[in-house]
């Protein structure tokens, strides 16, 4: 696989994964905005294909890993107030705990 040179620009999703987007764009744009769109799409797909709720986790878990890594890295690189970086990390951890509880309880 060819390595990217410094003159090549990474796409939006690679920048997010590396934490190179702003914390606001990472949290609100990708984590919330794209998360709602993906969740809505998964809901429609599950309904159309008549899939069980358990199958949903096969779509949700990879997206959540992607968003957690991107938001966490963005918070680490955040140059503004550390308050927002800490709040973003707390929100990410709460999201993980909530999803794990939902997955284990089946709610």
């Amino acid at each position: 696989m060819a390595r990217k040179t410094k003159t090549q620009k990474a796409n939006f999703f690679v920048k997010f994964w590396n934490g190179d987007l702003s914390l606001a764009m990472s949290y609100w744009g990708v984590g919330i905005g794209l998360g709602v769109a993906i969740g809505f799409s998964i809901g429609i797909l599950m309904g159309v294909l008549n899939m069980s709720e358990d199958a949903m986790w096969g779509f949700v878990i990879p997206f959540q890993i992607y968003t957690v890594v991107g938001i966490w890295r963005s918070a680490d690189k955040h140059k503004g107030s550390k308050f927002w970086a800490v709040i973003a990390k707390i929100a990410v951890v709460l999201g993980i705990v909530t999803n794990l509880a939902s997955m284990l309880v089946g709610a």
Side-chain angles (χ1 to χ4, degrees):
M1 183 183 229
R3 290 183 169 245
K4 285 188 177 252
T5 63
K6 288 188 178 185
T7 58
Q8 291 177 317
K9 297 201 188 239
N11 70 37
F12 178 85
F13 298 101
V14 172
K15 285 182 182 180
F16 171 74
W17 176 258
N18 292 330
D20 294 333
L21 297 180
S22 70
L23 181 56
M25 176 58 76
S26 294
Y27 185 84
W28 292 107
V30 177
I32 302 297
L34 189 60
V36 167
I38 296 282
F40 186 72
S41 299
I42 291 169
I44 290 173
L45 183 65
M46 286 178 55
V48 168
L49 298 178
N50 200 24
M51 298 168 67
S52 71
E53 276 191 42
D54 292 338
M56 169 190 70
W57 294 109
F59 297 103
V60 171
I61 291 172
F63 180 74
Q64 185 168 26
I65 291 169
Y66 174 72
T67 56
V68 164
V69 170
I71 292 169
W72 198 274
R73 289 177 177 172
S74 181
D76 284 342
K77 294 180 179 181
H78 183 60
K79 300 214 185 301
S81 170
K82 288 298 172 192
F83 172 79
W84 294 114
V86 170
I87 292 297
K89 287 182 175 184
I90 289 170
V92 163
V93 170
L94 289 174
I96 292 168
V97 169
T98 301
N99 279 344
L100 281 175
S102 294
M103 190 169 54
L104 294 174
V105 174

